[in-house]
Amino acid sequence: MNTDLACASLGPCEEYEFELVELIDGALAPDRENVVRQHLDGCARCRGFERQMRAVDASLAAALPRVQLSPGFEARLDARIAQVSRPQNHESARAQAEQEYRGAMAALRRGLAWRTTLNAIATSAVVGTLALGIMTTLPYVSNALGLGLPLHRTWSFGVGAIALAGGLLAARGVRHGAPSPFA
């Protein structure tokens, strides 16, 4: 029984596993390749793993069909690479950058408009709840304090409180850079 294959079932040494795959693929840096090959000379586990991986690669290469490129593929690829790597003139680069900027700003405005709408709905809910609470309890508080405000004055006070709260919140939003919902 071959000891390399018997040890391969244990897998490679953990610190060399990825480097062995790169070695098999031919992608390992030359300085690391020497170190890994020296390790292979003394490690039956890694030698067995390398042989198994090379056998898998060979069987896959034999089983899979070869892909044929269309005629002129390389010429089209070279032309496309040349087109992409060609330096742009400053005017077209600037126009492209300005177009991207305008698109980004439009997206931000749409996002801010949506955010402003949601904030307005939330603010209206809070202010409406607060006003309803004030208008509901104000007659009782007025009577308890002996002020005896008539009902229409109580409602006027409630509407004034709502207007004041809404104005303060709108002013706060404008001051902090939020777009005005009235624009």
Side-chain angles (χ1 to χ4, degrees):
M1 181 172 161
N2 187 341
T3 57
D4 287 355
L5 293 177
C7 290
S9 64
L10 300 174
C13 296
E14 187 176 323
E15 63 269 16
Y16 288 98
E17 181 176 6
F18 295 110
E19 290 180 317
L20 285 169
V21 172
E22 288 180 353
L23 177 71
I24 294 165
D25 289 342
L28 191 60
D31 58 326
R32 284 304 297 167
E33 183 177 342
N34 293 334
V35 172
V36 172
R37 288 196 187 281
Q38 286 176 356
H39 175 75
L40 279 172
D41 290 341
C43 181
R45 283 175 55 185
C46 289
R47 263 194 318 273
F49 178 79
E50 179 199 21
R51 285 191 183 123
Q52 283 183 339
M53 288 297 106
R54 288 189 188 278
V56 167
D57 280 354
S59 64
L60 284 174
L64 295 174
R66 295 268 178 209
V67 176
Q68 295 295 321
L69 297 176
S70 63
F73 172 80
E74 286 186 29
R76 288 191 312 273
L77 178 63
D78 290 341
R80 180 69 178 123
I81 290 172
Q83 179 186 9
V84 170
S85 61
R86 188 178 311 131
Q88 296 181 346
N89 66 29
H90 291 290
E91 287 303 315
S92 66
R94 182 180 176 153
Q96 182 180 358
E98 285 180 5
Q99 182 180 2
E100 289 175 11
Y101 171 77
R102 283 190 299 272
M105 291 306 294
L108 283 173
R109 281 188 208 99
R110 284 190 304 273
L112 284 175
W114 181 244
R115 184 174 157 207
T116 301
T117 302
L118 292 177
N119 284 341
I121 291 169
T123 301
S124 299
V126 168
V127 170
T129 303
L130 179 65
L132 184 62
I134 289 172
M135 291 189 312
T136 303
T137 58
L138 193 57
Y140 299 109
V141 172
S142 172
N143 288 337
L145 294 176
L147 297 175
L149 291 174
L151 189 57
H152 71 278
R153 290 199 115 172
T154 306
W155 283 97
S156 297
F157 178 79
V159 171
I162 293 171
L164 176 64
L168 289 173
L169 288 171
R172 180 182 180 277
V174 170
R175 190 175 69 233
H176 291 294
S180 171
F182 307 110

